Structures are given as structure tokens and as C-alpha cells.
Amino acid sequence: MKAWPYPRWVAHRGAGRLAPENTLAAFRLGAENGYRMFECDVKLSADGVPFLMHDATLERTTNGIGLGGDQPWDQLARLDAGSWHSRAHAGEPLPTFENIGRYCLANGFFLNIEIKPTPGLEAKTGEVVANHAERIWRGTELPPLLTSFRPESLQAALQASRNCRAACCWTPCGMAAGTMRSSLQCVAVVCNHALWDAATVAKAKGLGLRTLSYTVNDEWAAQRLIALGTDGIITDRVDLFSPA
């Protein structure tokens, strides 16, 4: 197998729990800790603007109420996405996918985009996110890595983009790795770090799939994955693990 072109260490939602997740502040903190690759969640506003947020609802990480996908971007842009975390981040706005993409490009960073659709918008979200990624990263050497727990989102994304690479998120009750490789043209599989062992790593690599893990916050877990020969480690602990 060719060398995996992305960094091994990936900062979860920008900087994990050390800053408001999925915000530019989190990305900047992750970068200050030496990280060059970031994971983030992207969904659509009611008027089709892709923006960063993990949950379907707004309450946990903003001062808004209800489904994020039910509100237009001009309303979402006014929300406070930082006060829930700490006073130091009060007033931090939700970022658009466009802004985060431009930030990563300007600084030579890599991105793992998890397509996180509002229920009922799985295919549409995959298509729009991929179209934006195709345009933002056009002409660059290494496109972002698209992931999703929703196969229909990944399928729509790959149909919309010729250049983006896809990694399938796997759970014990999810699709078989071979199916993901053949039907969705995935280059990698991402799963909970506890699911990797020598047999599953060998099976994935035998199918030509690279192996990534979430969310690794303990030294023993990281060392186990390194010993198994996995390719990517997604972590909240940007302060604990040096990506060098």
C-alpha cells in the first residue's frame, strides 16, 4: 500500500474539549498545539449553507433552540457558540464550512469532514458538502477526507465530486468493510478505537482500506493503535499527544 498522505494525528472538532467544538477558536488552539489535520462536523442550514455543528439540535453548544437545520444561516450566524464552554469564548460564532476550508488552505492544514445531516437531508447534505469541497480545494494536491455514518450521504458526496476521498464510519452493526470498499469506493474506514484488533486491522488492509480511530484520549489506547499499525488517531487531547 502507498504511504497514507494524511497526518496520523487528527484534532477532534478542532481542539476537542479545550475550546468550543467546531469553531474557528478550536481550530486555532489545535494549530497552536502543533496539529496539522482537523476533524469537524458539517450540516446544512435551512437555506442550504453548510456550517459546522455536531448535534442536530442547537441547545448543547449554542444559545439557540431547536434543530439547526430548520433555521436560515442569517439566524444561525447570530448565535453564541462559545459561552457554553467558558467565558473566555463568549460570543464565538458558528463558522461556515467555507470559512473553515479557507482557513485550512491558507495554513496548509488537512481536513476530515464528517457529513452530519439533519434527518431527511442525508443525500442533499452529502451533495452540497462535496460540491463546496470540490470548489474550495480545486487544484490542490490533497483534497479533504469525507466521512459519514450515513452511507447515502457518502454516496451522494462521491457522485458530486471527482476529487474528494471518502472514509466510511463503521460500527459493529454497520456495513461490512468489503461492501464499503466496493459500493462506496472508500479509501479508509473510521471506527471506535476499541473495535480495532490485529484481525480487524489485517482485514481492512487486505481490502486496501486505511484504518482510523476515534476518539482516543488515553496514552495506553494510542500506544495500542500505533502498535497495531493503524493510520490515523482522532483525539480530544491536543494538549496530551504531540502530533510531531
Side-chain angles (χ1 to χ4, degrees):
M1 297 176 72
K2 293 182 179 179
W4 182 238
Y6 299 97
R8 177 192 292 274
W9 290 96
V10 184
H12 189 225
R13 303 180 192 172
R17 303 166 185 165
L18 303 183
E21 63 184 58
N22 285 315
T23 66
L24 186 54
F27 275 67
R28 286 174 171 156
L29 183 57
E32 288 173 9
N33 281 271
Y35 279 73
R36 298 175 53 245
M37 186 165 182
F38 301 88
E39 184 269 354
C40 65
D41 305 286
V42 180
K43 54 174 29 74
L44 299 182
S45 67
D47 49 349
V49 177
F51 70 101
L52 271 62
M53 175 170 280
H54 177 273
D55 297 6
T57 56
L58 296 165
E59 284 84 351
R60 182 175 68 86
T61 57
T62 77
N63 61 340
I65 298 173
L67 287 174
D70 284 350
Q71 299 192 21
W73 176 246
D74 65 344
Q75 293 183 20
L76 293 168
R78 300 189 188 107
L79 296 179
D80 179 348
S83 290
W84 70 274
H85 182 274
S86 61
R87 289 183 180 180
H89 291 291
E92 182 72 25
L94 291 169
T96 63
F97 174 42
E98 178 93 20
N99 287 345
I100 287 296
R102 297 296 176 191
Y103 170 79
C104 288
L105 275 178
N107 289 281
F109 298 149
F110 304 96
L111 198 56
N112 168 194
I113 304 158
E114 183 176 342
I115 303 168
K116 208 80 174 177
T118 299
L121 295 176
E122 288 80 7
K124 181 65 175 178
T125 305
E127 177 187 359
V128 172
V129 170
N131 282 334
H132 275 69
E134 180 95 8
R135 174 177 52 80
I136 295 168
W137 275 270
R138 183 174 294 132
T140 61
E141 184 176 349
L142 194 60
L145 188 65
L146 302 179
T147 65
S148 185
F149 283 98
R150 305 299 306 184
E152 55 269 53
S153 294
L154 272 185
Q155 187 173 36
L158 290 172
Q159 289 173 348
S161 170
R162 296 179 180 179
N163 297 321
C164 289
R165 302 181 182 189
C168 306
C169 297
W170 176 67
T171 63
C173 59
M175 295 186 302
T179 302
M180 292 188 282
R181 174 69 172 167
S182 60
S183 65
L184 294 177
Q185 301 174 323
C186 291
V187 300
V189 58
V190 187
C191 72
N192 186 294
H193 67 90
L195 298 178
W196 289 123
D197 56 25
T200 53
V201 170
K203 180 179 180 180
K205 292 199 171 185
L207 291 165
L209 292 162
R210 308 314 285 250
T211 51
L212 288 76
S213 306
Y214 66 86
T215 303
V216 182
N217 295 328
D218 298 296
E219 181 69 29
W220 65 266
Q223 291 304 318
R224 189 182 77 88
L225 294 166
I226 292 170
L228 286 171
T230 61
D231 300 291
I233 298 176
I234 302 169
T235 182
D236 292 317
R237 294 302 307 274
V238 299
D239 57 331
L240 175 62
F241 298 115
S242 171

